[in-house]
Amino acid sequence: MNSGTTVDSITIRQPDDWHVHLRDGAMLAAVLPFTAAQFARGLIMPNLVPPVTTVEAATAYRRRILGARPLDSGFEPLMSCYLTDHSDPDEIETGYQEGVWIGAKLYPAGATTNAHHGVTDIGAITPVLDRMERIGMPLLVHGESTDPAVDVFDREAVFMETTLVPLLNRFQGLKVVIEHATTEETVDLVRAYAPRVGATITPHHLMINRTSLFQGGLHPHLYCLPIAKREHHRLALRRAATSGEGCFFAGTDTAPHLKGAKESSCGCAGVFAAATALQSYAQVFDEDGALDRLEAFMSLNGAAFYGLAPNGATIRLERRPGRVHPTVAGGEGEGVVFRGGEELPWAVGRAQS
Ligand code: NCD
Ligand code: ZN
């Protein structure tokens, strides 16, 4: 496939999305079909209002997701729990041992959407991290500094230096996923600590840089956290994703918000990436001559990191120009689809079991 010949289709094991915001209620019902059409499993983010902090809340949320699935869908939600300063190690362990959740999410308090109940001081969750290290439960990290004096484009790098590296060195057996990696320094850090550390990479961070947000005017639907960085970072993310290295895997960070909440004087962070995720990842791998490594990134590496078998079903991607509808009706409004309405060079077929 790297020999200069053009491949017109590729069949891979059905992928998993290792970072999904499905929301709840009408929005959940509106967006879930897009994730379920492409992905067999999704790691569901717990930043609801109120956040998913208990076994009971995660069990109930999982049930609501199952209830919102399209009739023919076997999509499997894998849950996570939201850490706060008051998280109880016994509760965290119970949810893990009972198979209710597969990881716990560390949001530095205030770092992103619905993160205000997050962790204010890593010291507060030391007993939780000790326990997670002992039982082999992965910690999922939103890696951005919350110091308001830190430039928004430097928040990931500062967090890695001041918080994550000390944490990795203190908890040397803890499995960690750096969610939505956006910088060259982060991918180097992941490689240095692999295989116990991995990272998800979104389709949008592989396709846009920080200039894209302002190209010809302000593009609120490309605004997410961590914010897209300079071009050299985007290129480093592309090298990481397409490398085939086991520590990098797909996580779309699809984060739908109502259009009005994004096109606002104080717009929400989040890109609704679900409907065009696989088309975008396939395009990136094709452009970089790495279609033969697409399956590792999409369907194998993440499952291996979490100790799960890869999916048995397959999905076919075709080099066939297509368009996805620009918006999705979601309750009291609509969500704007990443790359919606644009001509995309790759299209997704139906999954085959
Ligand atoms: C996410 C959301 O809207 O829930 N937003 C985002 O910009 N990515 C939260 C997150 O993952 O940071
Ligand atoms: Zn997210």
Side-chain angles (χ1 to χ4, degrees):
M1 274 174 219
N2 284 325
S3 58
T5 53
T6 301
V7 174
D8 287 324
S9 74
I10 174 171
T11 298
I12 60 171
R13 281 183 193 252
Q14 205 183 356
D16 301 308
D17 185 345
W18 296 105
H19 186 128
V20 192
H21 300 271
L22 288 180
R23 314 304 190 201
D24 215 339
M27 184 66 100
L28 165 63
V31 301
L32 177 56
F34 295 95
T35 292
Q38 301 195 346
F39 298 95
R41 297 174 290 202
L43 180 42
I44 313 303
M45 291 297 124
N47 61 333
L48 299 184
V49 185
V52 179
T53 55
T54 62
V55 169
E56 191 186 347
T59 305
Y61 185 31
R62 181 165 191 277
R63 219 175 282 129
R64 295 198 296 281
I65 296 168
L66 293 176
R69 287 186 309 187
L71 282 182
D72 60 346
S73 173
F75 176 77
E76 190 186 343
L78 303 169
M79 309 308 287
S80 60
C81 72
Y82 183 117
L83 295 179
T84 72
D85 288 351
H86 312 291
S87 293
D88 170 10
D90 291 337
E91 178 91 4
I92 305 295
E93 175 166 2
T94 299
Y96 185 68
Q97 305 294 11
E98 291 183 354
V100 174
W101 48 52
I102 66 165
K105 182 78 188 269
L106 165 59
Y107 290 103
T112 187
T113 306
N114 300 338
H116 38 279
H117 294 289
V119 173
T120 59
D121 169 18
I122 297 290
I125 57 165
T126 299
V128 170
L129 298 179
D130 272 330
R131 186 73 64 89
M132 290 173 65
E133 179 177 33
R134 185 139 52 79
I135 64 178
M137 176 178 172
L139 177 73
L140 322 177
V141 180
H142 183 107
E144 287 194 286
S145 166
T146 53
D147 179 346
V150 174
D151 188 280
V152 68
F153 294 99
D154 297 334
R155 285 182 188 166
E156 182 168 312
V158 169
F159 180 88
M160 296 307 152
E161 267 173 49
T162 61
T163 307
L164 196 75
V165 167
L167 186 149
L168 291 174
N169 292 338
R170 168 149 189 202
F171 300 94
Q172 299 203 354
L174 184 64
K175 290 179 80 168
V176 173
V177 181
I178 300 176
E179 299 294 337
H180 37 53
T182 67
T183 75
E184 186 162 18
E185 294 80 8
T186 297
V187 295
D188 288 343
L189 181 73
V190 172
R191 287 190 177 104
Y193 285 86
R196 70 156 167 134
V197 174
T200 53
I201 303 179
T202 78
H204 37 291
H205 289 109
L206 295 171
M207 295 197 124
I208 63 165
N209 61 28
R210 68 188 203 171
T211 298
S212 314
L213 274 99
F214 309 105
Q215 199 77 268
L218 180 64
H219 297 270
H221 299 289
L222 299 182
Y223 171 56
C224 66
L225 290 172
I227 197 162
K229 307 297 192 297
R230 287 180 182 275
E231 177 65 359
H232 77 90
H233 293 295
R234 186 182 75 94
L235 296 176
L237 294 173
R238 285 176 76 117
R239 287 193 299 276
T242 60
S243 68
E245 289 163 273
C247 53
F248 300 113
F249 33 92
T252 65
D253 192 21
T254 179
H257 290 276
L258 292 177
K259 188 176 176 199
K262 293 206 48 89
E263 297 176 8
S264 149
S265 60
C266 187
C268 295
V271 170
F272 178 31
T276 55
L278 203 37
Q279 296 91 323
S280 297
Y281 283 126
Q283 181 179 339
V284 166
F285 277 69
D286 182 26
E287 286 169 355
D288 291 359
L291 278 175
D292 55 337
R293 293 192 282 271
L294 180 66
E295 184 178 50
F297 179 75
M298 296 303 313
S299 319
L300 305 178
N301 296 349
F305 182 90
Y306 283 99
L308 298 170
N311 298 304
T314 58
I315 195 162
R316 185 178 154 95
L317 294 153
E318 292 164 15
R319 187 193 302 281
R320 162 167 59 78
R323 282 175 213 275
V324 170
H325 201 273
T327 56
V328 169
E332 281 128 60
E334 56 184 16
V336 174
V337 174
F338 175 60
R339 307 183 75 212
E342 287 175 30
E343 186 171 292
L344 309 178
W346 284 83
V348 180
R350 279 182 71 80
Q352 304 280 322
S353 48

